[in-house]
């Protein structure tokens, strides 16, 4: 692994190949292999499943703690809620651990708490236990927040699985997992990519891109439950956070052992995000998002999922961006000029501390 002189670098937290190697070579090495866990640590999915409880822990160290379109509190609630929701579960209780930095204004702390309360109300969850620690002034940037949470099975998830089985008779999996894709499944993206990473970067660097690019950070659990219950047929889901669309699609491809072919002209990107990425030399496919989902669905239900998404405010710019295929391994993109480009797993998200 690329540890500089055997030490942790910022890349180890950037959601790409360097972070994945740290997790696999160190964390899974010591904590993996537990028996009787339905979806264990080594599945490296968005959350674990223990019995019928979905369990997730997520620390948030975004810098700065307030950014266009959101703040660390909204991010902390949404991040954990969404990681539970993409397995098909309904999140219902969260924990919250604060590490506050000496010197943080109490008014800022309260602003974060108000934002967390509001985001919990949006998602229909509650924070039920937690912890508060304070450290000396340094480089925290005000505070870091850990949120953990539990989620449970719903009727919507059962209904979704019944629909999947109509089209795939041997489907025995009880959860929506990264490893469930089969050749022929369609891949949908719920909206524009890159907004969150660019919004945080603009706040970090004091950049202005003409129009203000706002973070998309939001809880998506209610939307996901609607997709599962009103249409169904969903087999895999992921929120493309650090490492962006490129990292998330490669996770699908590796874990499901299928190729994924996407169409460049179908990927929704805001014109100002595209222009800012070009100016800064960033690949929008590798920039993190906090309010988007990638959905793998049986091909017979893809159009209905798209139609429902388009009626919602979170999904009005959704597109069917591609499909899983047995023709090759990895992720490739049909470009607008007619060629094919490999979408490799990024080394790390190009923007540091976005979540
Ligand atoms: Mg996730």
């Amino acid at each position: 692994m690329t540890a500089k002189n055997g030490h942790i670098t910022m890349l180890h937290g950037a959601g790409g190949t360097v972070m994945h190697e740290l997790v696999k070579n160190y964390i899974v090495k010591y904590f993996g292999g537990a028996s009787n866990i339905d979806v264990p640590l080594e599945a490296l999915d968005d959350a674990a499943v223990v019995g019928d409880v979905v369990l997730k822990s997520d620390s948030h160290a975004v810098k700065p703690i307030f950014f266009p379109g959101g703040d660390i509190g909204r991010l902390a609630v949404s991040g954990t809620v969404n990681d539970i929701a993409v397995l098909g579960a309904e999140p219902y209780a969260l924990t919250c651990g604060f590490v506050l930095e000496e010197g943080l204004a109490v008014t800022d702390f309260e602003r974060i708490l108000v934002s967390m309360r509001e985001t919990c109300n949006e998602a229909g969850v509650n924070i039920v236990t937690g912890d508060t620690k304070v450290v000396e002034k340094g480089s925290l940037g005000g505070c870091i927040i850990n949120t953990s949470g539990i989620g449970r099975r719903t009727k919507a998830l059962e209904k979704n699985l019944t629909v999947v089985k109509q089209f795939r008779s041997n489907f025995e999996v009880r959860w929506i997992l990264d490893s469930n894709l089969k050749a022929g499944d369609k891949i949908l993206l719920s909206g524009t990519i890159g907004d969150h990473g660019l919004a945080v970067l603009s706040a970090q660097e004091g950049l202005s891109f003409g129009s203000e690019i706002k973070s998309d950070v939001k809880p998506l659990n209610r939307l996901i439950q609607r997709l599962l219950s009103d249409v169904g047929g969903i087999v895999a889901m992921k929120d493309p956070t650090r490492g962006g669309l490129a990292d998330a699609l490669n996770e699908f491809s590796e874990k499901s052992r299928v190729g994924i072919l996407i169409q460049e002209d179908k990927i929704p990107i805001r014109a100002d995000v595209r222009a800012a990425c070009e100016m800064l030399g960033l690949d929008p496919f590798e920039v993190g998002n906090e309010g988007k989902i990638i959905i793998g669905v049986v091909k017979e239900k893809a159009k209905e999922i798209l139609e429902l998404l388009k009626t919602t405010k979170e999904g009005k710019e959704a597109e069917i961006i591609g499909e899983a295929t047995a023709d090759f391994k990895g992720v490739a993109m049909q470009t607008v000029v007619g060629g094919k480009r490999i979408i490799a797993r990024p080394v790390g998200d190009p923007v540091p501390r976005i979540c």
Side-chain angles (χ1 to χ4, degrees), residues 56-60 76-77 80 94-97 116 145-149:
K56 173 66 188 178
S57 183
D58 207 340
S59 294
H60 301 270
V77 172
T80 296
L94 301 183
T95 74
C96 173
M116 293 180 84
I145 304 176
N146 175 281
T147 45
S148 298

Side-chain angles (χ1 to χ4, degrees), residues 69-291:
D71 58 79
I72 191 169
R74 183 166 177 76
L75 187 67
V77 172
S78 303
T80 296
V81 160
N82 291 344
D83 275 342
I84 292 169
V86 291
L87 269 83
E90 169 192 61
Y92 63 100
L94 301 183
T95 74
C96 173
F98 287 104
V99 181
L100 306 177
E101 187 176 29
E102 181 186 22
L104 174 68
V106 173
T107 48
D108 282 348
F109 182 48
E110 191 164 19
R111 202 174 141 197
I112 291 163
L113 295 175
V114 168
S115 175
M116 293 180 84
R117 176 71 264 171
E118 286 171 359
T119 312
C120 281
N121 292 348
E122 255 178 78
V125 298
N126 280 291
I127 292 169
V128 296
T129 184
D131 175 58
T132 307
K133 298 278 173 8
V134 179
V135 297
E136 299 86 347
K137 202 166 181 54
S139 58
L140 279 196
C143 67
I144 56 177
I145 304 176
N146 175 281
T147 45
S148 298
I150 46 174
R152 59 190 158 203
R153 298 183 72 78
T154 62
K155 287 198 178 109
L157 175 59
E158 306 299 351
K159 215 181 141 198
N160 174 77
L161 297 175
T162 307
V163 175
V164 174
K165 283 177 192 157
Q166 287 169 18
F167 302 100
R168 201 184 283 172
S169 52
N170 57 350
F171 191 82
E172 297 300 334
V173 185
R174 298 179 67 242
W175 299 94
I176 314 291
L177 302 177
D178 296 349
S179 52
N180 287 346
L181 281 178
K182 290 268 185 288
D185 291 340
K186 295 288 181 187
I187 310 289
L188 282 86
L189 175 60
S190 69
T192 57
I193 54 166
D195 307 17
H196 175 74
L198 267 290
V200 173
L201 183 66
S202 72
Q204 283 176 355
E205 304 292 333
L207 297 169
S208 161
F209 302 119
S211 60
E212 188 181 41
I213 297 171
K214 286 197 174 124
S215 168
D216 54 358
V217 56
K218 62 173 78 74
L220 295 165
N221 54 315
R222 287 186 155 148
L223 171 69
I224 288 171
Q225 286 293 309
R226 244 191 102 191
L227 296 173
L228 296 173
S229 110
D230 293 5
V231 182
I234 294 173
V235 293
M237 267 191 288
K238 211 161 187 61
D239 53 337
T241 55
R242 284 173 299 180
L245 183 65
D247 194 67
L249 289 174
N250 273 282
E251 285 215 31
F252 272 173
S253 167
E254 269 178 36
K255 292 180 197 167
S256 291
R257 296 174 191 189
V258 289
I260 294 177
L261 180 64
I262 58 169
Q263 306 292 327
E264 185 174 25
D265 60 351
K266 293 290 182 194
I267 312 289
I269 306 181
R270 283 168 54 115
D272 51 4
V273 168
R274 190 188 296 277
C277 281
E278 271 169 24
M279 191 175 83
L280 297 164
L282 301 176
D283 182 349
F285 284 62
E286 300 184 356
V287 174
N289 313 276
E290 292 290 343

